[in-house]
Each structure stands twice: as structure tokens, then as C-alpha cells.
Amino acid sequence: MVLNKALKNKRYRVVDIKLDEKLARRLQELGIVKGGKIHMIRKAPLGDPIHICVNGQNISLRNSVCSGIVIEEDK
Amino acid sequence: MFRYRHRRRQIDVLKKNSIKVAFVGNPNVGKTALINALSGSNLKVGNWPGVTVEKKEANIVINNQTFSLVDLPGAYSLNPFSLEEKITRDFLINERPDLIVNVVDSNQLEKSLFLTFALSEFEIPMVIALNFFDEMVKNKTEINIKKLKDLLSVEVVPTSGVKKIGIDALKEAIYKAINERTLPNILFEESLDKKFKQIKDMLKDKKDQLGYPLSFVAARVLERDNQMINELINKKLIDKSILDLTVDNSTYIESRYKFISSICKKILVKHKDSYDLTQKIDSILLNKFLGLPLFLIMMFIVFKLTFDLSKPFVDFTSYFINDYIGKYVVYSLWFLPDIFKSLIKEAIIGGVGSVISFFPLIGIFFLFISILEESGYMTRAAFLIDKLMSSIGLSGKVFIPLILGFGCNVPAIYATRGLDSQKDRLLAGLMIPLMSCSARLPVYLLFTAAFFKSFKELIILGLYFLGALIAILLVILLQLAVPSLKTDSTPFILELPPYRIPPLKFLLKLTGFRVKSFLRKASSVILFTMILVWSINSLPYNAPVGESYLAQGSRAIAFVFAPAGFDKWEAVATLLPSIVAKEAVIGTLGQILEGEQNSTTEAKSAEEYNFADDTSKVIEKFKDSFIEAGTSLLNFFTINSFQEKEKNESLMNRLRTLFTPLSALSFMIFILLFVPCMVTISVFIQEYGMKWTVFEICMLLTISYSVSTLVYQIGKLFIH
């Protein structure tokens, strides 16, 4: 599934990043790397963007970016 | 050979008058506060050439040696994604500072070290400042500083710019690093390290032809940076076979992160999950139901405090300069002919007065905006409102300058500095003059009172909406017309930094620097405009109002405004003075329509010069302005600046002979959309350069003319 579908307060693992190179690179530099963990915190009151936590750092991403981030539930 | 070079460089450095030290770090790591603590009060705030990114510099002396410290814009990596990051990278490559102080958030070591590693590739001596160290101690985390230092072979100093911890130790480390000039280690995981060294060996002999530091080039080749590889192939420095040694850049980054987290495991001991407090505050401020209402309340408070608190002081300063200083300066210049006295009083002192009277407003505004920025709330506001703004292709942060524009365009344009992309900054700037500022309100109030008594609130509200609507349409059209504005260069990725209480002293200092730069830069444009407008308005000297150049010129061009419905010269004559200040429309109309019975000549002879009386009056007024500011805080839910001025029946009667209700509406729309006041223009030039200012002025002229014509012509169809 993609990051848009992530549920509040759940933890996920990044499987793949399907975005253009420049954007993918920036996400990776922020620690959103294949195999890395993402903690979904909340959606903004208007539904977009979302608030996630990566390596203890709070990041906000637009849904248009999230749809390129493939994740799976972290068990 | 190596030893010789090494020594020569050292001598060079000591001979040079000042040593360049670049402060580099992620956004929100407290770089500025740290430089401020290091330099005492020598911080200088300016702009990076050609762009609207703030540049902060300071000089300090350590052991008789001058160091010039430069605060480079915050960066997450040196592979530039934003304008700020490009400035930072270009500075490191082109200016080759003598030393990098890498400011690191001790609480987010893992994330920060990514930049540290990238910085090590530049082959510049480095010192690491572990900033917010006090917070980290509070969060019950420990860093093994010695291990980190040995690993990277750089000085590591725990600091807190805010609490002034470790400042002397940092100075010592800077001095030591400059004199020893040891370069930081460049670290990779084993497999990449081998390849990195191989690439480096291949390039070693051609070192001087690379144009960049050797390790920097080797690292770019390693991560298969096509631009760099092509450049090298074109220069015939490498051939395609080198590609066998490269990895794709996601492997490169993943490997680096893996390596960094393995280091962090060795040197970090966490006793508690950090940033509990930020999470808790966010659960309220970003709450699904509370988030937006709290945001609106916050905006209301900032708006209210900025404009209401400053208004009495703005009025006082303007009175003080024009009616006190101006009066006595002219008095002391009795030997000059009247025409020069008028020029000095009205144009020069008036111009200086209008700049200085903006001081309280700009000062209070900068203070609040720094609080919002430094505390971490600004990015939350962007998070909350982003969806609305993204629908017109802008980021959430743009909302704040736009709202401020309704109070005064000047601080609003300054607020665009805080936006993340050049595109957002420019588009927001172009929109702001269309936000109807509070100086335009008195014009609406007068005209609606004269022509639209029964539904004047509706008309005024409509005007505000019209301005905003046209701004939105404009942004959409501009993005369609100018492709470079459409491509979303910085898609919305925002770090939500931990909440911090910004120290008041630092905020005040920062505000002071920003206000000073406003004074320096705004004065020239304003003086020029004031002298120009004075010449047109007051010459030929002592001619009746109807015979001034302004009146003559207005008569000549009045026909142009016939399609918009106001081709009377009296109406046209208000447009030029409206550039001095929007509310001048009323004063000019008053002067023209009501004759001169109570103005200039008569008033002048009646003017009394009693210095002692006037001085005590000034002091009295100064006290009053504090009381007024205080009461405005008590009457929290009324916005003072929006309150109606006393009605002037005779002026309104004369207006009714000049305008029909329809042409009055068209005139109000014209004033709403017309060229902004000169202070806004001068700030606009400061922030976006002359080219965009000319563009904006031409565009506003076109828009104001065509919209008011459209409204008048359509209105005429309905009335007939």
C-alpha cells in the first residue's frame, strides 16, 4: 500500500519510493529510505498534508508525494 | 611537497586580515543564536545578492585574529533542493571558507550527521557545535563526545547559543582548528570506502584540473552524479570505465544512513524517549478539531497586536516629526525663501517622517513574526492551512503574509522572506498589494458614507473580497503564463521542528537589525517620491489649488478615465498623492473641494512658535500613546484601526456633485487595485528587485483600469 492509506498512530516500513529522482533523493536524505521506518502521526484537519515521524524527526508531506511512497505494516 | 603546501597555507591564513568561518547546519538548529552569542552584538543582517534570503554576518576577534562569521542558510543536504541549499553549496564551493562550523542539533544527531558527512567532502577544516546540548541533557541522553571527535577527527564542542553555554570553548576550538588545519575524515561503509578510495586515486594526478575539491568530486562520481561525470568526461579527465566503480544514489544514501545509525548506536545513550513535550503540544495545536480554530485565534492575536499596539505610536511619531521637528526646523531656517521651507517641511521632513513613523509597526510586527518562526509554530500554521493554498499552487505558509497584507502591505512583503521557495516568495509578493490594507479603508468609509448609506458594510466587504479574488486569479494566470513559476520546484516537504521558547533578548536584537535595514533601504525611494510629488503638487508656488501642476496635469489626462466613470480632474488629482499614502486621497479631495480656507497660507500666519508649550505637548502625546496602546489591548475584540473617522458632511456633499454612486464604486475599486503606496514600493524593490517592481506596477495599472472600467460599463447597462 502507499503512505496515503496509512492509519493514524501506526508504524510502517518503506518498501519502495516511486517518485522522480530529485524528490526521491530529498526524501532519502531526510531518512525516508527503503527499509526505513515511518510512524504515521496524523492527517492535517483538512485531510492534506500528513504528519509523520522518521528517526525522531517530525516531517509533513503532501498526499501527492505520499502516493509515491510504498509501505507495509511494521510488525 | 605536502608539508610545504601545508605550511604555506597556514601562513596565508594568518596573514589574511580576516578568516572566513562558515556556519552550516540543518534549518532550526539555532545557528543564528549561536553566532549572536559568539559575536556579542555585532550581527549584521542583509540579503544574499539577488535573492530574498536573509544573510547574517558578524566579526569576532580571538587572540588578536579577526574572524568573519557567515551564517549560511539552513540545509538538509548539499545536493541543492531549495534556493537556500543552493546558496550554501555555492558558497562552500566558490568562496572556500577557511573553516566550517557545523552546527548540529544534539537531540537529532542521526539526522544532523548526514549533513556533517556531506560537509566533510569539501576538504575544509571543521568544528562541530553540538547545539541545544542543555536540552539533550534534560532529555536524559548522553553523547560520547570523545568517540565522535576521534571518528571524524574534528573538534566537537557542546554548546547552547540560547543559554550561552560553551561559547568560549567554541572560540578556542575555532582558533585551534584554523591553526592546525586538520581536515575531517570522510567516512563510508567498508564496500563504498574501497570504491571511494579507488576513484580518488584515479583522479589524484588531475587534482588541479577538477575545479572542485578532490574528495567532493570523488564522492559525486561514486554516487553516479551524471552532471559531474559528464563534466569530467568532457574535460577528458575520466572515461566511461569509471562507472564500474559507482553505485546509484539511493544505495549511496542508504549506505550512509546505515553507517550513521551504526555510529549513533555506539556513541548515543538514550535514557528516555525525547521530544515528549513537542508531541503533546502538537496533539492540541494540530488537533483535528482544535487545530484550525486555534490557528485563526493565533492569527487574530498577531494581527490585532501588530496593528493596534503600534497605531498610537505610529500616529505619535508622525505628529512628532511633522508638527514638532518639522515646524521648528523650518522656523530656524527663517532666512530661506518660502518655497524652500515648503520643500524641506513637506517633502524632506515629511518623507523622513513617513519612514520613521513605520518604525513602531515594523518593529512590533518583526517581533511577533520572529516569535512565530523561532518557536516552531510557523511551520505548523503552514501544515494546517496547506490544503487551501495548494489548490492555487502555493504552499501553506503563504497564507500568513497574505492575511497581514490586510493590515499593512509593508510588513506583509517582509513576511514573504520566511517562505521556502523563490516561487512562493515572488507570487505572494505580487499578490500582497491587492490585499486591501487598512489605509485604504478610510477612502471606502468616506465614499460609502456619501453614496451607499444603507448597504455600506456589504460594499466594503465586497471590495476586500474583490482584491483577494483578483489576487487568486492573478496567481493562477501567472503560473499558466510563466512556466518557471508553474513547476513546483519545492514540493511540500516540511520539517516540523521541536517547540522552543525563543529568548526575548535574541528576538529583540534580531528585530532591531531588521528594522535598521528597513530604514537604510526605504529612505532613498521615499525621499525621491516625496520630492517628486511635492514638486507636482506645490508648483507653481503659491498658485491656487486649481492651478498647480497637479491640477493642470490631471485636467489634461482626465479623459483617459472617462470609460471608468471618473473623468473629473479633481478625482484624477488624488491618484498621485495616493502613492505617498492611500489615505492622502481624502486629504487631497478635501483640499481641492473645500478650497483653501483653512489650509496653508492662513494657517501659517496663525501658527505660533512656543517651544516650551509644544515640547510639553509632545511629551503629553507620547504618554497618551502608551495609554491608547494599553486600552486597545483591553478592548480586545474591536479592531481600532477599522473604526470610522468622524463624518465630514460638507465634503460628502461636494463629493456627490463629483461622482454618481456608480462612478464612486468604480473609483473605490480603482483605489483598491491601484499602485501601492511608496513605502510598499520601496520594500518591494528591496525584496524582489527593480524588474519585478516595474512588472507589478504595470500590472496593477492595467488591472485597476480595466476592472473599474468593466464595473462602470456593466453597471451602466443595468442602470439604464
Side-chain angles (χ1 to χ4, degrees), chain A residues 3-6 38-44 47-53 58-63 65-66 69, chain B residues 383 386 492 494 496:
Chain A
L3 189 53
N4 303 30
K5 301 274 158 21
I38 288 181
H39 182 188
M40 170 71 179
I41 312 269
R42 64 170 61 82
K43 278 186 175 203
D48 188 13
I50 66 162
H51 173 183
I52 56 171
C53 191
N58 291 295
I59 299 172
S60 150
L61 293 178
R62 273 192 186 157
N63 281 336
V65 176
C66 295
I69 302 174
Chain B
F383 174 76
D386 183 64
F492 191 73
L494 203 64
L496 303 172

mmCIF file of all heavy atoms in Angstrom, chain A residues 3-6 38-44 47-53 58-63 65-66 69, chain B residues 383 386 492 494 496:
data_model
loop_
_atom_site.group_PDB
_atom_site.id
_atom_site.type_symbol
_atom_site.label_atom_id
_atom_site.label_comp_id
_atom_site.label_asym_id
_atom_site.label_seq_id
_atom_site.Cartn_x
_atom_site.Cartn_y
_atom_site.Cartn_z
ATOM 1 N N LEU A 3 1.634 5.407 1.243
ATOM 2 C CA LEU A 3 1.609 6.135 2.513
ATOM 3 C C LEU A 3 0.291 6.888 2.755
ATOM 4 O O LEU A 3 -0.098 7.118 3.895
ATOM 5 C CB LEU A 3 2.810 7.100 2.553
ATOM 6 C CG LEU A 3 3.115 7.815 3.868
ATOM 7 C CD1 LEU A 3 3.238 6.844 5.021
ATOM 8 C CD2 LEU A 3 4.392 8.625 3.741
ATOM 9 N N ASN A 4 -0.414 7.247 1.683
ATOM 10 C CA ASN A 4 -1.707 7.939 1.862
ATOM 11 C C ASN A 4 -2.684 7.122 2.689
ATOM 12 O O ASN A 4 -3.552 7.667 3.341
ATOM 13 C CB ASN A 4 -2.417 8.156 0.526
ATOM 14 C CG ASN A 4 -1.584 8.919 -0.445
ATOM 15 O OD1 ASN A 4 -0.366 8.818 -0.393
ATOM 16 N ND2 ASN A 4 -2.212 9.678 -1.298
ATOM 17 N N LYS A 5 -2.555 5.782 2.583
ATOM 18 C CA LYS A 5 -3.530 4.898 3.222
ATOM 19 C C LYS A 5 -3.121 4.559 4.654
ATOM 20 O O LYS A 5 -3.788 3.796 5.317
ATOM 21 C CB LYS A 5 -3.665 3.606 2.400
ATOM 22 C CG LYS A 5 -4.116 3.847 0.967
ATOM 23 C CD LYS A 5 -5.625 3.916 0.899
ATOM 24 C CE LYS A 5 -6.210 4.638 -0.302
ATOM 25 N NZ LYS A 5 -5.446 4.828 -1.494
ATOM 26 N N ALA A 6 -2.005 5.118 5.095
ATOM 27 C CA ALA A 6 -1.509 4.780 6.428
ATOM 28 C C ALA A 6 -2.499 5.218 7.502
ATOM 29 O O ALA A 6 -3.190 6.226 7.345
ATOM 30 C CB ALA A 6 -0.162 5.456 6.663
ATOM 31 N N ILE A 38 8.607 4.397 9.311
ATOM 32 C CA ILE A 38 7.812 5.619 9.319
ATOM 33 C C ILE A 38 6.715 5.471 10.370
ATOM 34 O O ILE A 38 6.025 4.453 10.411
ATOM 35 C CB ILE A 38 7.154 5.871 7.942
ATOM 36 C CG1 ILE A 38 8.203 6.305 6.920
ATOM 37 C CG2 ILE A 38 6.070 6.937 8.038
ATOM 38 C CD1 ILE A 38 7.624 6.593 5.549
ATOM 39 N N HIS A 39 6.579 6.455 11.210
ATOM 40 C CA HIS A 39 5.499 6.459 12.191
ATOM 41 C C HIS A 39 4.464 7.483 11.729
ATOM 42 O O HIS A 39 4.752 8.675 11.665
ATOM 43 C CB HIS A 39 6.072 6.820 13.565
ATOM 44 C CG HIS A 39 5.059 6.801 14.661
ATOM 45 N ND1 HIS A 39 5.336 7.239 15.929
ATOM 46 C CD2 HIS A 39 3.771 6.400 14.691
ATOM 47 C CE1 HIS A 39 4.260 7.107 16.688
ATOM 48 N NE2 HIS A 39 3.296 6.613 15.956
ATOM 49 N N MET A 40 3.270 6.993 11.380
ATOM 50 C CA MET A 40 2.218 7.897 10.919
ATOM 51 C C MET A 40 1.607 8.574 12.143
ATOM 52 O O MET A 40 1.084 7.898 13.027
ATOM 53 C CB MET A 40 1.165 7.082 10.168
ATOM 54 C CG MET A 40 -0.085 7.849 9.836
ATOM 55 S SD MET A 40 0.225 9.065 8.540
ATOM 56 C CE MET A 40 -1.429 9.744 8.380
ATOM 57 N N ILE A 41 1.689 9.898 12.220
ATOM 58 C CA ILE A 41 1.163 10.593 13.396
ATOM 59 C C ILE A 41 -0.280 11.059 13.166
ATOM 60 O O ILE A 41 -1.177 10.730 13.912
ATOM 61 C CB ILE A 41 2.029 11.821 13.767
ATOM 62 C CG1 ILE A 41 3.502 11.451 13.782
ATOM 63 C CG2 ILE A 41 1.568 12.418 15.087
ATOM 64 C CD1 ILE A 41 4.077 10.979 15.059
ATOM 65 N N ARG A 42 -0.491 11.856 12.143
ATOM 66 C CA ARG A 42 -1.856 12.369 11.905
ATOM 67 C C ARG A 42 -1.981 12.959 10.509
ATOM 68 O O ARG A 42 -0.974 13.172 9.826
ATOM 69 C CB ARG A 42 -2.193 13.462 12.920
ATOM 70 C CG ARG A 42 -1.307 14.706 12.811
ATOM 71 C CD ARG A 42 -1.824 15.839 13.645
ATOM 72 N NE ARG A 42 -1.872 15.503 15.057
ATOM 73 C CZ ARG A 42 -0.845 15.566 15.879
ATOM 74 N NH1 ARG A 42 0.340 15.934 15.420
ATOM 75 N NH2 ARG A 42 -0.960 15.249 17.152
ATOM 76 N N LYS A 43 -3.250 13.186 10.138
ATOM 77 C CA LYS A 43 -3.523 13.972 8.942
ATOM 78 C C LYS A 43 -3.836 15.388 9.374
ATOM 79 O O LYS A 43 -4.348 15.599 10.471
ATOM 80 C CB LYS A 43 -4.737 13.407 8.195
ATOM 81 C CG LYS A 43 -4.391 12.240 7.335
ATOM 82 C CD LYS A 43 -5.573 11.803 6.504
ATOM 83 C CE LYS A 43 -5.065 10.711 5.600
ATOM 84 N NZ LYS A 43 -5.701 10.408 4.431
ATOM 85 N N ALA A 44 -3.582 16.371 8.512
ATOM 86 C CA ALA A 44 -3.978 17.750 8.812
ATOM 87 C C ALA A 44 -5.511 17.811 8.864
ATOM 88 O O ALA A 44 -6.178 16.987 8.242
ATOM 89 C CB ALA A 44 -3.440 18.689 7.748
ATOM 90 N N GLY A 47 -7.289 17.223 5.787
ATOM 91 C CA GLY A 47 -7.053 15.951 5.106
ATOM 92 C C GLY A 47 -5.716 15.858 4.372
ATOM 93 O O GLY A 47 -5.278 14.790 3.991
ATOM 94 N N ASP A 48 -5.077 16.986 4.160
ATOM 95 C CA ASP A 48 -3.811 17.023 3.451
ATOM 96 C C ASP A 48 -3.026 18.194 4.031
ATOM 97 O O ASP A 48 -3.625 19.245 4.278
ATOM 98 C CB ASP A 48 -4.082 17.259 1.950
ATOM 99 C CG ASP A 48 -2.838 17.121 1.089
ATOM 100 O OD1 ASP A 48 -1.826 16.615 1.596
ATOM 101 O OD2 ASP A 48 -2.889 17.522 -0.080
ATOM 102 N N PRO A 49 -1.772 18.157 4.289
ATOM 103 C CA PRO A 49 -0.824 17.031 4.203
ATOM 104 C C PRO A 49 -0.918 16.070 5.405
ATOM 105 O O PRO A 49 -1.845 16.183 6.182
ATOM 106 C CB PRO A 49 0.511 17.775 4.211
ATOM 107 C CG PRO A 49 0.258 19.029 4.960
ATOM 108 C CD PRO A 49 -1.162 19.394 4.709
ATOM 109 N N ILE A 50 0.066 15.146 5.491
ATOM 110 C CA ILE A 50 0.115 14.264 6.652
ATOM 111 C C ILE A 50 1.371 14.576 7.478
ATOM 112 O O ILE A 50 2.300 15.203 7.001
ATOM 113 C CB ILE A 50 0.103 12.772 6.259
ATOM 114 C CG1 ILE A 50 1.373 12.405 5.506
ATOM 115 C CG2 ILE A 50 -1.142 12.437 5.467
ATOM 116 C CD1 ILE A 50 1.620 10.916 5.472
ATOM 117 N N HIS A 51 1.324 14.122 8.703
ATOM 118 C CA HIS A 51 2.412 14.365 9.656
ATOM 119 C C HIS A 51 2.995 13.001 10.035
ATOM 120 O O HIS A 51 2.294 12.160 10.564
ATOM 121 C CB HIS A 51 1.801 15.103 10.860
ATOM 122 C CG HIS A 51 2.743 15.305 12.024
ATOM 123 N ND1 HIS A 51 2.340 15.886 13.190
ATOM 124 C CD2 HIS A 51 4.040 14.993 12.194
ATOM 125 C CE1 HIS A 51 3.359 15.931 14.034
ATOM 126 N NE2 HIS A 51 4.392 15.397 13.454
ATOM 127 N N ILE A 52 4.276 12.800 9.697
ATOM 128 C CA ILE A 52 4.917 11.530 10.051
ATOM 129 C C ILE A 52 6.153 11.790 10.894
ATOM 130 O O ILE A 52 6.631 12.912 10.993
ATOM 131 C CB ILE A 52 5.341 10.724 8.787
ATOM 132 C CG1 ILE A 52 6.265 11.573 7.903
ATOM 133 C CG2 ILE A 52 4.126 10.255 8.012
ATOM 134 C CD1 ILE A 52 6.887 10.802 6.762
ATOM 135 N N CYS A 53 6.628 10.708 11.499
ATOM 136 C CA CYS A 53 7.840 10.812 12.301
ATOM 137 C C CYS A 53 8.852 9.795 11.769
ATOM 138 O O CYS A 53 8.539 8.618 11.619
ATOM 139 C CB CYS A 53 7.494 10.541 13.760
ATOM 140 S SG CYS A 53 8.831 10.941 14.865
ATOM 141 N N ASN A 58 10.034 15.100 13.025
ATOM 142 C CA ASN A 58 8.665 15.278 12.538
ATOM 143 C C ASN A 58 8.678 15.909 11.160
ATOM 144 O O ASN A 58 9.279 16.959 10.958
ATOM 145 C CB ASN A 58 7.880 16.170 13.493
ATOM 146 C CG ASN A 58 7.622 15.467 14.808
ATOM 147 O OD1 ASN A 58 6.916 14.468 14.838
ATOM 148 N ND2 ASN A 58 8.221 15.961 15.872
ATOM 149 N N ILE A 59 8.002 15.268 10.223
ATOM 150 C CA ILE A 59 8.004 15.751 8.847
ATOM 151 C C ILE A 59 6.566 15.800 8.342
ATOM 152 O O ILE A 59 5.741 14.966 8.720
ATOM 153 C CB ILE A 59 8.829 14.809 7.937
ATOM 154 C CG1 ILE A 59 10.284 14.760 8.399
ATOM 155 C CG2 ILE A 59 8.770 15.253 6.481
ATOM 156 C CD1 ILE A 59 11.111 13.719 7.689
ATOM 157 N N SER A 60 6.273 16.805 7.538
ATOM 158 C CA SER A 60 4.967 16.902 6.933
ATOM 159 C C SER A 60 5.106 16.725 5.426
ATOM 160 O O SER A 60 5.975 17.317 4.796
ATOM 161 C CB SER A 60 4.380 18.267 7.304
ATOM 162 O OG SER A 60 3.529 18.718 6.318
ATOM 163 N N LEU A 61 4.263 15.849 4.854
ATOM 164 C CA LEU A 61 4.344 15.550 3.419
ATOM 165 C C LEU A 61 2.972 15.704 2.784
ATOM 166 O O LEU A 61 1.971 15.318 3.378
ATOM 167 C CB LEU A 61 4.786 14.097 3.186
ATOM 168 C CG LEU A 61 6.187 13.663 3.563
ATOM 169 C CD1 LEU A 61 6.346 12.174 3.288
ATOM 170 C CD2 LEU A 61 7.214 14.440 2.775
ATOM 171 N N ARG A 62 2.941 16.246 1.574
ATOM 172 C CA ARG A 62 1.662 16.322 0.864
ATOM 173 C C ARG A 62 1.246 14.953 0.356
ATOM 174 O O ARG A 62 2.097 14.124 0.031
ATOM 175 C CB ARG A 62 1.799 17.280 -0.324
ATOM 176 C CG ARG A 62 1.526 18.692 0.068
ATOM 177 C CD ARG A 62 1.373 19.578 -1.158
ATOM 178 N NE ARG A 62 1.246 20.957 -0.739
ATOM 179 C CZ ARG A 62 1.528 22.002 -1.519
ATOM 180 N NH1 ARG A 62 1.947 21.811 -2.741
ATOM 181 N NH2 ARG A 62 1.368 23.224 -1.068
ATOM 182 N N ASN A 63 -0.064 14.754 0.225
ATOM 183 C CA ASN A 63 -0.578 13.485 -0.275
ATOM 184 C C ASN A 63 -0.015 13.126 -1.644
ATOM 185 O O ASN A 63 0.219 11.964 -1.936
ATOM 186 C CB ASN A 63 -2.106 13.525 -0.342
ATOM 187 C CG ASN A 63 -2.719 13.298 1.033
ATOM 188 O OD1 ASN A 63 -2.086 12.693 1.902
ATOM 189 N ND2 ASN A 63 -3.921 13.784 1.235
ATOM 190 N N VAL A 65 2.885 13.563 -2.711
ATOM 191 C CA VAL A 65 4.189 12.935 -2.527
ATOM 192 C C VAL A 65 4.017 11.550 -1.924
ATOM 193 O O VAL A 65 4.646 10.576 -2.345
ATOM 194 C CB VAL A 65 5.091 13.808 -1.620
ATOM 195 C CG1 VAL A 65 6.410 13.118 -1.344
ATOM 196 C CG2 VAL A 65 5.319 15.170 -2.250
ATOM 197 N N CYS A 66 3.097 11.448 -0.950
ATOM 198 C CA CYS A 66 2.883 10.184 -0.243
ATOM 199 C C CYS A 66 2.464 9.067 -1.185
ATOM 200 O O CYS A 66 2.771 7.906 -0.964
ATOM 201 C CB CYS A 66 1.793 10.340 0.808
ATOM 202 S SG CYS A 66 2.254 11.462 2.082
ATOM 203 N N ILE A 69 5.130 6.742 -2.175
ATOM 204 C CA ILE A 69 5.911 6.019 -1.166
ATOM 205 C C ILE A 69 5.183 4.733 -0.801
ATOM 206 O O ILE A 69 4.105 4.770 -0.214
ATOM 207 C CB ILE A 69 6.132 6.894 0.086
ATOM 208 C CG1 ILE A 69 6.842 8.202 -0.312
ATOM 209 C CG2 ILE A 69 6.945 6.142 1.136
ATOM 210 C CD1 ILE A 69 6.975 9.191 0.825
ATOM 211 N N PHE B 383 1.259 23.753 7.910
ATOM 212 C CA PHE B 383 0.709 22.398 7.882
ATOM 213 C C PHE B 383 -0.825 22.437 7.911
ATOM 214 O O PHE B 383 -1.505 21.747 7.161
ATOM 215 C CB PHE B 383 1.259 21.632 9.096
ATOM 216 C CG PHE B 383 0.682 20.253 9.284
ATOM 217 C CD1 PHE B 383 1.093 19.205 8.476
ATOM 218 C CD2 PHE B 383 -0.249 20.005 10.280
ATOM 219 C CE1 PHE B 383 0.580 17.935 8.656
ATOM 220 C CE2 PHE B 383 -0.762 18.740 10.472
ATOM 221 C CZ PHE B 383 -0.351 17.691 9.654
ATOM 222 N N ASP B 386 -2.318 24.264 4.586
ATOM 223 C CA ASP B 386 -1.693 23.951 3.298
ATOM 224 C C ASP B 386 -2.674 23.579 2.202
ATOM 225 O O ASP B 386 -2.524 23.960 1.056
ATOM 226 C CB ASP B 386 -0.670 22.822 3.477
ATOM 227 C CG ASP B 386 0.058 22.518 2.185
ATOM 228 O OD1 ASP B 386 0.765 23.406 1.714
ATOM 229 O OD2 ASP B 386 -0.105 21.415 1.635
ATOM 230 N N PHE B 492 5.865 20.130 -1.304
ATOM 231 C CA PHE B 492 5.700 20.397 0.103
ATOM 232 C C PHE B 492 6.299 19.302 0.988
ATOM 233 O O PHE B 492 5.680 18.287 1.252
ATOM 234 C CB PHE B 492 4.221 20.561 0.383
ATOM 235 C CG PHE B 492 3.923 21.100 1.739
ATOM 236 C CD1 PHE B 492 4.172 22.426 2.013
ATOM 237 C CD2 PHE B 492 3.402 20.293 2.716
ATOM 238 C CE1 PHE B 492 3.893 22.928 3.267
ATOM 239 C CE2 PHE B 492 3.125 20.795 3.970
ATOM 240 C CZ PHE B 492 3.370 22.108 4.241
ATOM 241 N N LEU B 494 8.041 19.436 4.682
ATOM 242 C CA LEU B 494 8.269 20.437 5.712
ATOM 243 C C LEU B 494 8.715 19.721 6.970
ATOM 244 O O LEU B 494 8.134 18.710 7.360
ATOM 245 C CB LEU B 494 6.929 21.127 5.961
ATOM 246 C CG LEU B 494 6.923 22.508 6.552
ATOM 247 C CD1 LEU B 494 7.594 23.484 5.612
ATOM 248 C CD2 LEU B 494 5.491 22.927 6.792
ATOM 249 N N LEU B 496 8.752 19.694 10.885
ATOM 250 C CA LEU B 496 8.074 20.345 11.997
ATOM 251 C C LEU B 496 9.050 20.331 13.168
ATOM 252 O O LEU B 496 9.206 19.320 13.836
ATOM 253 C CB LEU B 496 6.785 19.603 12.352
ATOM 254 C CG LEU B 496 5.774 19.460 11.207
ATOM 255 C CD1 LEU B 496 4.629 18.540 11.600
ATOM 256 C CD2 LEU B 496 5.237 20.804 10.778
#
